[in-house]
Amino acid sequence: MSTTTVDPATSNAPEAALANRARFASLVQRQGALAIFVVVVAVASVSFDSFASQGNITGIAVQASFLAMLALGMTFVIMTGGIDLSVGSVFALGGVLAAWGSQHGTLAAFVLPLAVCGAIGLVQGLVIARGGLPPFIVTLAGLLFARGLLLLLSDEGATTYKVPRGSSFRELAQGELLGIPYPVILVVVFFAIGGLVLHRTSYGASVLAIGGQEDAADLMGLPVVRTKVLTYVASALLAGFGGVMIASYTSSGVTILGVGTELEAIAAVVLGGTLLTGGAGTVLGTLVGVLLLQVIKNVINQIGSLDSDWQSVVSGTILLLVVTLQRVLTRGDRT
């Protein structure tokens, strides 16, 4: 009677290959934007003398800080499997309200935009979570509402509110601490808090679970409705705070800001490795995605001979490649 000996290493080979593929897919998803970012920065530093200068690096960081606030909130929204198209208009509305409120004191410049923007996020969250309406439609309506309210407050854009000279509100985005601009410090603090919330709280676990499989999360007893409402409120508040920052930085409420910014925020989040289908992503990856987009803009400005539209072309091409790669890797991971 003969027996067949099976080598354990051989029998486990398919499982090991699948595990290695999964690890590689996860690595590319989480660190792909960082690799591209490092390459672009290295090439730009060699190609342009002024790129690596302190002034240029500081400028990139400050300009990226406004988009970063929107992208942070968008990260949690997309992780739940949703989308928030209203953040660009909420961002602009927050700036106009902050500039108007600054004429009545620094406290009003903070409280008014955050209260209004937070209310918009609350309504959207309730309609999406309790009403069951698609986030795309609800937040598109929020976009139109916020933009319409902005135009109403500014007389169809004819009135631009100015932050009074000498107002302490200007220090929020124009001041520095140890040579580091306040907007950069604020972004670091907010993203650190966002990372802790995502990985160290039950809310963060619920966000990922809802994005992975909402029905299963509900059956597990997770607070699906509350989590989704809080997510849209947080997204609107962060967009509103970004508007507060830009009003302080420009010392005015510029009505034309925010057009298309929601698409940049979504692009940054996806570039950073957060899946559009929800359930996976990192806060740090989003920050890298924001910086990558800003560096691309800066490099095109450094070239000088290219039109500003090339910023959208290059960013869109990279985004398409990243989304395609995500799709291929996640499909391979399931096979």
Side-chain angles (χ1 to χ4, degrees), residues 250-299:
T250 61
S251 299
S252 63
V254 182
T255 58
I256 62 174
L257 291 176
V259 177
T261 309
E262 63 278 352
L263 301 181
E264 290 188 65
I266 295 170
V269 173
V270 176
L271 284 173
T274 299
L275 297 179
L276 275 173
T277 52
T282 65
V283 168
L284 180 59
T286 294
L287 183 58
V288 173
V290 170
L291 291 173
L292 176 59
L293 291 179
Q294 194 60 46
V295 165
I296 290 172
K297 291 181 180 180
N298 189 267
V299 168

Short mmCIF file of all heavy atoms in Angstrom, two decimals, residues 250-299:
data_model
loop_
_atom_site.label_atom_id
_atom_site.label_comp_id
_atom_site.label_asym_id
_atom_site.label_seq_id
_atom_site.Cartn_x
_atom_site.Cartn_y
_atom_site.Cartn_z
N THR A 250 -6.76 86.02 2.75
CA THR A 250 -6.95 87.04 1.71
C THR A 250 -7.51 88.34 2.26
O THR A 250 -7.62 89.32 1.53
CB THR A 250 -7.90 86.52 0.62
OG1 THR A 250 -9.19 86.24 1.20
CG2 THR A 250 -7.35 85.27 -0.04
N SER A 251 -7.89 88.32 3.54
CA SER A 251 -8.50 89.50 4.21
C SER A 251 -9.79 89.93 3.53
O SER A 251 -10.15 91.10 3.56
CB SER A 251 -7.50 90.67 4.24
OG SER A 251 -6.34 90.33 4.96
N SER A 252 -10.48 88.98 2.92
CA SER A 252 -11.74 89.30 2.25
C SER A 252 -12.54 88.02 2.01
O SER A 252 -12.00 86.92 2.13
CB SER A 252 -11.48 90.00 0.91
OG SER A 252 -10.77 89.14 0.03
N GLY A 253 -13.81 88.20 1.65
CA GLY A 253 -14.64 87.07 1.28
C GLY A 253 -14.82 87.03 -0.22
O GLY A 253 -15.68 87.72 -0.76
N VAL A 254 -14.00 86.24 -0.87
CA VAL A 254 -14.00 86.18 -2.34
C VAL A 254 -15.05 85.18 -2.81
O VAL A 254 -14.98 83.99 -2.49
CB VAL A 254 -12.61 85.80 -2.88
CG1 VAL A 254 -12.62 85.80 -4.41
CG2 VAL A 254 -11.54 86.74 -2.34
N THR A 255 -16.02 85.65 -3.56
CA THR A 255 -17.16 84.81 -3.93
C THR A 255 -16.84 83.78 -5.01
O THR A 255 -17.55 82.78 -5.12
CB THR A 255 -18.32 85.69 -4.43
OG1 THR A 255 -17.87 86.47 -5.55
CG2 THR A 255 -18.79 86.62 -3.33
N ILE A 256 -15.81 84.00 -5.80
CA ILE A 256 -15.52 83.08 -6.90
C ILE A 256 -14.70 81.88 -6.45
O ILE A 256 -14.46 80.96 -7.23
CB ILE A 256 -14.79 83.80 -8.05
CG1 ILE A 256 -13.44 84.34 -7.57
CG2 ILE A 256 -15.66 84.90 -8.63
CD1 ILE A 256 -12.59 84.92 -8.69
N LEU A 257 -14.26 81.88 -5.20
CA LEU A 257 -13.48 80.75 -4.71
C LEU A 257 -14.38 79.51 -4.55
O LEU A 257 -15.59 79.62 -4.38
CB LEU A 257 -12.84 81.08 -3.36
CG LEU A 257 -11.73 82.13 -3.38
CD1 LEU A 257 -11.29 82.42 -1.95
CD2 LEU A 257 -10.54 81.66 -4.21
N GLY A 258 -13.77 78.36 -4.59
CA GLY A 258 -14.50 77.13 -4.31
C GLY A 258 -15.10 76.44 -5.52
O GLY A 258 -15.55 75.30 -5.41
N VAL A 259 -15.10 77.10 -6.67
CA VAL A 259 -15.67 76.48 -7.87
C VAL A 259 -14.77 75.31 -8.30
O VAL A 259 -13.62 75.51 -8.64
CB VAL A 259 -15.82 77.50 -9.01
CG1 VAL A 259 -16.34 76.81 -10.27
CG2 VAL A 259 -16.72 78.64 -8.60
N GLY A 260 -15.30 74.12 -8.27
CA GLY A 260 -14.53 72.94 -8.65
C GLY A 260 -13.63 72.39 -7.56
O GLY A 260 -12.98 71.36 -7.76
N THR A 261 -13.60 73.05 -6.39
CA THR A 261 -12.72 72.60 -5.31
C THR A 261 -13.14 71.24 -4.79
O THR A 261 -12.31 70.46 -4.33
CB THR A 261 -12.72 73.62 -4.16
OG1 THR A 261 -12.46 74.92 -4.68
CG2 THR A 261 -11.65 73.28 -3.13
N GLU A 262 -14.44 70.95 -4.85
CA GLU A 262 -14.90 69.64 -4.39
C GLU A 262 -14.29 68.51 -5.21
O GLU A 262 -13.99 67.43 -4.68
CB GLU A 262 -16.43 69.54 -4.43
CG GLU A 262 -17.06 69.66 -5.81
CD GLU A 262 -17.22 71.11 -6.28
OE1 GLU A 262 -16.97 72.03 -5.48
OE2 GLU A 262 -17.61 71.29 -7.45
N LEU A 263 -14.06 68.78 -6.49
CA LEU A 263 -13.45 67.75 -7.35
C LEU A 263 -11.97 67.56 -6.99
O LEU A 263 -11.45 66.45 -7.03
CB LEU A 263 -13.60 68.14 -8.82
CG LEU A 263 -15.04 68.31 -9.31
CD1 LEU A 263 -15.06 68.68 -10.79
CD2 LEU A 263 -15.85 67.04 -9.07
N GLU A 264 -11.30 68.66 -6.65
CA GLU A 264 -9.91 68.55 -6.21
C GLU A 264 -9.82 67.77 -4.91
O GLU A 264 -8.90 66.97 -4.71
CB GLU A 264 -9.30 69.95 -6.02
CG GLU A 264 -9.06 70.72 -7.30
CD GLU A 264 -8.28 72.00 -7.04
OE1 GLU A 264 -7.12 71.92 -6.61
OE2 GLU A 264 -8.86 73.08 -7.23
N ALA A 265 -10.76 68.02 -4.00
CA ALA A 265 -10.76 67.30 -2.73
C ALA A 265 -10.96 65.80 -2.95
O ALA A 265 -10.27 64.97 -2.36
CB ALA A 265 -11.85 67.86 -1.82
N ILE A 266 -11.90 65.46 -3.83
CA ILE A 266 -12.14 64.05 -4.14
C ILE A 266 -10.89 63.43 -4.76
O ILE A 266 -10.50 62.30 -4.42
CB ILE A 266 -13.35 63.90 -5.07
CG1 ILE A 266 -14.64 64.34 -4.37
CG2 ILE A 266 -13.49 62.45 -5.56
CD1 ILE A 266 -15.85 64.46 -5.28
N ALA A 267 -10.27 64.16 -5.69
CA ALA A 267 -9.06 63.67 -6.35
C ALA A 267 -7.96 63.41 -5.33
O ALA A 267 -7.27 62.38 -5.39
CB ALA A 267 -8.59 64.67 -7.40
N ALA A 268 -7.77 64.33 -4.39
CA ALA A 268 -6.73 64.18 -3.37
C ALA A 268 -6.98 62.94 -2.52
O ALA A 268 -6.05 62.19 -2.19
CB ALA A 268 -6.66 65.42 -2.50
N VAL A 269 -8.24 62.73 -2.15
CA VAL A 269 -8.59 61.59 -1.31
C VAL A 269 -8.32 60.28 -2.05
O VAL A 269 -7.74 59.34 -1.49
CB VAL A 269 -10.08 61.66 -0.89
CG1 VAL A 269 -10.50 60.39 -0.17
CG2 VAL A 269 -10.31 62.87 0.02
N VAL A 270 -8.73 60.21 -3.30
CA VAL A 270 -8.53 58.99 -4.08
C VAL A 270 -7.05 58.75 -4.36
O VAL A 270 -6.56 57.62 -4.29
CB VAL A 270 -9.34 59.05 -5.38
CG1 VAL A 270 -9.07 57.82 -6.25
CG2 VAL A 270 -10.83 59.14 -5.08
N LEU A 271 -6.33 59.82 -4.69
CA LEU A 271 -4.89 59.70 -4.90
C LEU A 271 -4.20 59.16 -3.65
O LEU A 271 -3.22 58.41 -3.73
CB LEU A 271 -4.28 61.05 -5.27
CG LEU A 271 -4.50 61.55 -6.70
CD1 LEU A 271 -3.99 62.98 -6.84
CD2 LEU A 271 -3.81 60.64 -7.70
N GLY A 272 -4.73 59.54 -2.49
CA GLY A 272 -4.13 59.11 -1.23
C GLY A 272 -4.43 57.67 -0.86
O GLY A 272 -3.95 57.20 0.17
N GLY A 273 -5.22 56.97 -1.66
CA GLY A 273 -5.44 55.56 -1.43
C GLY A 273 -6.80 55.19 -0.88
O GLY A 273 -7.07 54.00 -0.66
N THR A 274 -7.68 56.16 -0.64
CA THR A 274 -9.02 55.83 -0.17
C THR A 274 -9.86 55.34 -1.34
O THR A 274 -9.94 56.00 -2.37
CB THR A 274 -9.69 57.07 0.46
OG1 THR A 274 -8.92 57.48 1.59
CG2 THR A 274 -11.11 56.75 0.92
N LEU A 275 -10.48 54.18 -1.17
CA LEU A 275 -11.27 53.60 -2.24
C LEU A 275 -12.58 54.36 -2.41
O LEU A 275 -13.26 54.66 -1.42
CB LEU A 275 -11.56 52.13 -1.95
CG LEU A 275 -10.36 51.18 -1.88
CD1 LEU A 275 -10.83 49.78 -1.56
CD2 LEU A 275 -9.57 51.20 -3.17
N LEU A 276 -12.95 54.65 -3.64
CA LEU A 276 -14.22 55.32 -3.91
C LEU A 276 -15.42 54.49 -3.47
O LEU A 276 -16.49 55.02 -3.21
CB LEU A 276 -14.34 55.65 -5.40
CG LEU A 276 -13.68 56.96 -5.87
CD1 LEU A 276 -13.72 57.06 -7.37
CD2 LEU A 276 -14.35 58.17 -5.22
N THR A 277 -15.22 53.19 -3.39
CA THR A 277 -16.30 52.31 -2.95
C THR A 277 -16.45 52.30 -1.44
O THR A 277 -17.42 51.74 -0.90
CB THR A 277 -16.05 50.88 -3.45
OG1 THR A 277 -14.72 50.48 -3.06
CG2 THR A 277 -16.17 50.80 -4.95
N GLY A 278 -15.49 52.91 -0.73
CA GLY A 278 -15.56 52.99 0.71
C GLY A 278 -14.91 51.81 1.41
O GLY A 278 -14.54 50.81 0.79
N GLY A 279 -14.77 51.93 2.74
CA GLY A 279 -14.28 50.83 3.54
C GLY A 279 -12.79 50.75 3.74
O GLY A 279 -12.31 49.94 4.53
N ALA A 280 -12.01 51.59 3.05
CA ALA A 280 -10.56 51.54 3.17
C ALA A 280 -9.97 52.91 2.84
O ALA A 280 -10.48 53.62 1.98
CB ALA A 280 -9.97 50.48 2.25
N GLY A 281 -8.90 53.24 3.54
CA GLY A 281 -8.23 54.51 3.28
C GLY A 281 -7.47 54.97 4.50
O GLY A 281 -7.56 54.40 5.58
N THR A 282 -6.67 56.03 4.30
CA THR A 282 -5.89 56.59 5.40
C THR A 282 -5.94 58.11 5.34
O THR A 282 -6.03 58.70 4.26
CB THR A 282 -4.41 56.16 5.35
OG1 THR A 282 -3.80 56.69 4.17
CG2 THR A 282 -4.28 54.64 5.35
N VAL A 283 -5.86 58.72 6.51
CA VAL A 283 -5.83 60.17 6.60
C VAL A 283 -4.50 60.71 6.08
O VAL A 283 -4.45 61.71 5.36
CB VAL A 283 -6.06 60.61 8.06
CG1 VAL A 283 -5.75 62.08 8.25
CG2 VAL A 283 -7.50 60.32 8.47
N LEU A 284 -3.41 60.04 6.42
CA LEU A 284 -2.09 60.47 5.95
C LEU A 284 -2.01 60.41 4.44
O LEU A 284 -1.41 61.29 3.80
CB LEU A 284 -1.01 59.60 6.59
CG LEU A 284 0.44 59.93 6.20
CD1 LEU A 284 0.77 61.38 6.58
CD2 LEU A 284 1.42 58.97 6.86
N GLY A 285 -2.60 59.38 3.85
CA GLY A 285 -2.60 59.27 2.40
C GLY A 285 -3.29 60.45 1.75
O GLY A 285 -2.85 60.95 0.71
N THR A 286 -4.38 60.91 2.34
CA THR A 286 -5.08 62.09 1.81
C THR A 286 -4.18 63.31 1.84
O THR A 286 -4.15 64.10 0.88
CB THR A 286 -6.36 62.36 2.63
OG1 THR A 286 -7.27 61.28 2.42
CG2 THR A 286 -7.02 63.66 2.21
N LEU A 287 -3.44 63.50 2.91
CA LEU A 287 -2.52 64.63 3.01
C LEU A 287 -1.46 64.57 1.92
O LEU A 287 -1.13 65.58 1.30
CB LEU A 287 -1.86 64.66 4.39
CG LEU A 287 -0.94 65.85 4.67
CD1 LEU A 287 -1.69 67.17 4.52
CD2 LEU A 287 -0.33 65.74 6.07
N VAL A 288 -0.96 63.38 1.65
CA VAL A 288 0.01 63.20 0.57
C VAL A 288 -0.63 63.53 -0.77
O VAL A 288 -0.01 64.18 -1.63
CB VAL A 288 0.56 61.77 0.57
CG1 VAL A 288 1.45 61.54 -0.66
CG2 VAL A 288 1.36 61.49 1.83
N GLY A 289 -1.88 63.11 -0.96
CA GLY A 289 -2.59 63.42 -2.20
C GLY A 289 -2.76 64.91 -2.40
O GLY A 289 -2.60 65.43 -3.52
N VAL A 290 -3.08 65.63 -1.33
CA VAL A 290 -3.22 67.09 -1.41
C VAL A 290 -1.89 67.73 -1.80
O VAL A 290 -1.83 68.60 -2.69
CB VAL A 290 -3.70 67.66 -0.06
CG1 VAL A 290 -3.60 69.18 -0.06
CG2 VAL A 290 -5.12 67.23 0.23
N LEU A 291 -0.82 67.30 -1.15
CA LEU A 291 0.50 67.86 -1.45
C LEU A 291 0.93 67.54 -2.88
O LEU A 291 1.55 68.37 -3.56
CB LEU A 291 1.53 67.32 -0.46
CG LEU A 291 1.38 67.81 0.98
CD1 LEU A 291 2.35 67.07 1.90
CD2 LEU A 291 1.62 69.31 1.07
N LEU A 292 0.60 66.35 -3.35
CA LEU A 292 0.95 65.97 -4.72
C LEU A 292 0.27 66.88 -5.72
O LEU A 292 0.91 67.37 -6.67
CB LEU A 292 0.56 64.51 -4.97
CG LEU A 292 0.78 63.98 -6.40
CD1 LEU A 292 2.25 64.11 -6.79
CD2 LEU A 292 0.30 62.54 -6.51
N LEU A 293 -1.01 67.15 -5.53
CA LEU A 293 -1.73 68.04 -6.44
C LEU A 293 -1.13 69.44 -6.41
O LEU A 293 -0.99 70.09 -7.46
CB LEU A 293 -3.21 68.10 -6.05
CG LEU A 293 -4.04 66.84 -6.29
CD1 LEU A 293 -5.47 67.06 -5.81
CD2 LEU A 293 -4.03 66.46 -7.77
N GLN A 294 -0.76 69.92 -5.22
CA GLN A 294 -0.21 71.27 -5.11
C GLN A 294 1.18 71.35 -5.73
O GLN A 294 1.54 72.34 -6.35
CB GLN A 294 -0.16 71.69 -3.64
CG GLN A 294 0.09 73.18 -3.43
CD GLN A 294 -0.98 74.04 -4.07
OE1 GLN A 294 -2.17 73.77 -3.92
NE2 GLN A 294 -0.58 75.07 -4.79
N VAL A 295 1.96 70.28 -5.58
CA VAL A 295 3.30 70.26 -6.18
C VAL A 295 3.19 70.25 -7.70
O VAL A 295 3.97 70.92 -8.40
CB VAL A 295 4.09 69.03 -5.69
CG1 VAL A 295 5.32 68.78 -6.56
CG2 VAL A 295 4.52 69.22 -4.24
N ILE A 296 2.22 69.52 -8.23
CA ILE A 296 2.01 69.50 -9.69
C ILE A 296 1.70 70.91 -10.18
O ILE A 296 2.24 71.36 -11.20
CB ILE A 296 0.87 68.53 -10.05
CG1 ILE A 296 1.32 67.08 -9.82
CG2 ILE A 296 0.43 68.73 -11.50
CD1 ILE A 296 0.21 66.07 -9.98
N LYS A 297 0.83 71.62 -9.48
CA LYS A 297 0.51 73.00 -9.85
C LYS A 297 1.76 73.87 -9.83
O LYS A 297 2.00 74.67 -10.73
CB LYS A 297 -0.52 73.58 -8.89
CG LYS A 297 -1.91 72.98 -9.00
CD LYS A 297 -2.86 73.65 -8.02
CE LYS A 297 -4.26 73.06 -8.10
NZ LYS A 297 -5.19 73.71 -7.13
N ASN A 298 2.56 73.70 -8.80
CA ASN A 298 3.77 74.51 -8.66
C ASN A 298 4.78 74.22 -9.76
O ASN A 298 5.41 75.15 -10.30
CB ASN A 298 4.38 74.27 -7.28
CG ASN A 298 5.52 75.22 -6.96
OD1 ASN A 298 6.68 74.91 -7.22
ND2 ASN A 298 5.18 76.37 -6.41
N VAL A 299 4.92 72.94 -10.10
CA VAL A 299 5.87 72.57 -11.15
C VAL A 299 5.45 73.17 -12.49
O VAL A 299 6.28 73.70 -13.24
CB VAL A 299 5.97 71.03 -11.25
CG1 VAL A 299 6.72 70.63 -12.53
CG2 VAL A 299 6.68 70.48 -10.03
#
